[in-house]
Amino acid sequence: MTVSASKFYSSGTDATDVALESAFFAKLKMRNGTFKLTQPSRFRELEVAFRPYIEKRANALCELLDVGVSTGLTTVELARFLKDCGAAASIVATDLFIEAHIVELAPGFRVFCDPEGWPLQYDVRGITVRPWVRRLDYVTLAFIPLMIGRSVLQPRLHLRIRAGMSKPVQMITRSLPADGEIVFVENDIMLRSERFIRRFDMVRAANILNTGYFSPDQIHIAIENIHSYLRGPGALLMIARTNRARENAGTLFELNRDGSFAVLERVGGGSEIERLVLDFRAPAIADG
Ligand SMILES: C[S@@+](CC[C@H](N)C(=O)[O-])C[C@H]1O[C@@H](n2cnc3c(N)ncnc32)[C@H](O)[C@@H]1O
């Protein structure tokens, strides 16, 4: 049975149990229809292949951006890998959905939801119920109470959150290193963030800029934003995707002096968006 958010965020569960943590987050369907999916140790072969390049640049890797991190489980592994390579880097980990709330609407009835009141999990006296609709629900008509429930509850949940009548939590892994080297920030890679401009020595985008999910135009916008977030020539960009067989295809790029990207190394034939990255040219900055 799925553990409830109240229990998960209490001291009653084993914070080192990564399987329980992944199972809890994997059942949460976000407002945009995606699930909080990630898996431990998914990038081993990338680490092996990219290691010499990271080790060579270890002293220059101070600030990193990890885009679309889900719960940040693989960000923790990235931090470990960097340390192992001799880099003392701090990491900004971003995702569209990080903040969440537990709201008690009635005695014995709690809802785990996002800051807009979008329900992620119902908890009726410890028994969890998913708020999202799956295909079978259209056959059994279970979609009717689920959809009515959501539209009735969302505004009430939002009001309670705004009134401070909720327990705020973050949908992030509990296996974070204690030294605070990873900072989580809610951020959309499709929207330019001024505070990230020319800040990072390396950016990683793993299992996010997929051609099946984003259009080439959207991927181009993301590359443009990532490009603007890189500190300058010599900065690194790692793009990867894991397939169903848990094999990775990824490319490690370096930023050239002229603002274009060059391939340093490939795994599994390289990233599916490698051509889009190599063809990218930064727009000229207009003279003031
Ligand atoms: C499949 S997970 C990848 C997690 C992790 N990087 C990994 O490879 O295990 C993709 C994540 O990207 C996030 N995401 C989707 N669109 C995004 C966007 N426009 N900006 C930032 N994050 C986004 C989703 O919320 C989701 O958590």
Side-chain angles (χ1 to χ4, degrees):
M1 197 182 80
T2 314
V3 65
S4 72
S6 313
K7 188 149 187 222
F8 181 77
Y9 287 103
S10 72
S11 52
T13 56
D14 179 3
T16 61
D17 189 339
V18 177
L20 179 137
E21 180 179 284
S22 297
F24 169 74
F25 285 122
K27 296 248 168 63
L28 306 177
K29 190 173 187 178
M30 303 296 120
R31 228 178 316 144
N32 67 353
T34 60
F35 288 87
K36 280 254 149 222
L37 293 178
T38 186
Q39 278 154 7
S41 314
R42 53 175 15 177
F43 300 129
R44 277 229 179 93
E45 70 260 48
L46 297 180
E47 290 179 4
V48 171
F50 298 160
R51 190 180 191 101
Y53 303 91
I54 303 292
E55 280 179 343
K56 200 171 155 198
R57 294 158 179 80
N59 289 338
L61 297 176
C62 302
E63 281 213 82
L64 265 84
L65 176 65
D66 198 9
V67 179
V69 299
S70 187
T71 66
L73 196 57
T74 56
T75 313
V76 172
E77 292 171 352
L78 176 65
R80 262 189 235 130
F81 169 63
L82 290 166
K83 203 172 265 179
D84 215 37
C85 290
S90 59
I91 304 181
V92 175
T94 67
D95 201 278
L96 279 179
F97 305 105
I98 290 178
E99 310 299 333
H101 294 258
I102 300 169
V103 183
E104 183 156 16
L105 276 180
F109 179 44
R110 296 192 185 95
V111 184
F112 185 49
C113 57
D114 78 6
E116 303 297 317
W118 181 268
L120 302 168
Q121 183 195 67
Y122 299 129
D123 171 358
V124 187
R125 298 192 189 286
I127 296 170
T128 58
V129 179
R130 71 178 151 78
W132 43 273
V133 175
R134 56 181 180 188
R135 249 184 234 164
L136 187 63
D137 296 333
Y138 291 102
V139 179
T140 63
L141 301 186
F143 77 97
I144 298 172
L146 287 173
M147 286 172 89
I148 292 176
R150 190 170 64 209
S151 60
V152 169
L153 294 177
Q154 192 181 356
R156 294 178 60 194
L157 292 163
H158 192 210
L159 276 178
R160 293 238 176 166
I161 291 166
R162 285 180 53 185
M165 296 165 71
S166 66
K167 177 180 170 181
V169 292
Q170 289 193 311
M171 294 184 279
I172 61 177
T173 177
R174 299 178 296 181
S175 57
L176 286 180
D179 52 15
E181 71 194 27
I182 303 174
V183 174
F184 286 83
V185 178
E186 259 185 2
N187 185 268
D188 184 347
I189 193 57
M190 298 301 161
L191 302 174
R192 182 74 53 93
S193 272
E194 291 306 315
R195 62 187 165 151
F196 289 169
I197 303 283
R198 291 182 74 84
R199 181 168 152 189
F200 297 100
D201 305 298
M202 177 171 150
V203 174
R204 180 175 77 166
N207 292 305
I208 167 167
L209 299 180
N210 303 343
T211 48
Y213 189 65
F214 290 116
S215 69
D217 284 350
Q218 286 174 308
I219 292 174
H220 183 86
I221 290 170
I223 295 170
E224 198 167 78
N225 288 335
I226 288 172
H227 181 274
S228 74
Y229 298 161
L230 289 169
R231 202 184 293 282
L236 301 178
L237 169 61
M238 191 194 294
I239 306 222
R241 179 170 183 177
T242 318
N243 68 16
R244 279 177 200 273
R246 299 197 67 183
E247 295 151 349
N248 286 297
T251 305
L252 182 66
F253 303 89
E254 186 174 42
L255 190 61
N256 291 324
R257 289 202 162 274
D258 65 3
S260 64
F261 287 99
V263 173
L264 286 180
E265 189 58 272
R266 290 187 183 94
V267 168
S271 161
E272 67 191 51
I273 66 160
E274 187 180 295
R275 195 32 44 215
L276 290 173
V277 176
L278 292 178
D279 288 346
F280 174 80
R281 293 293 174 271
I285 299 165
D287 287 334

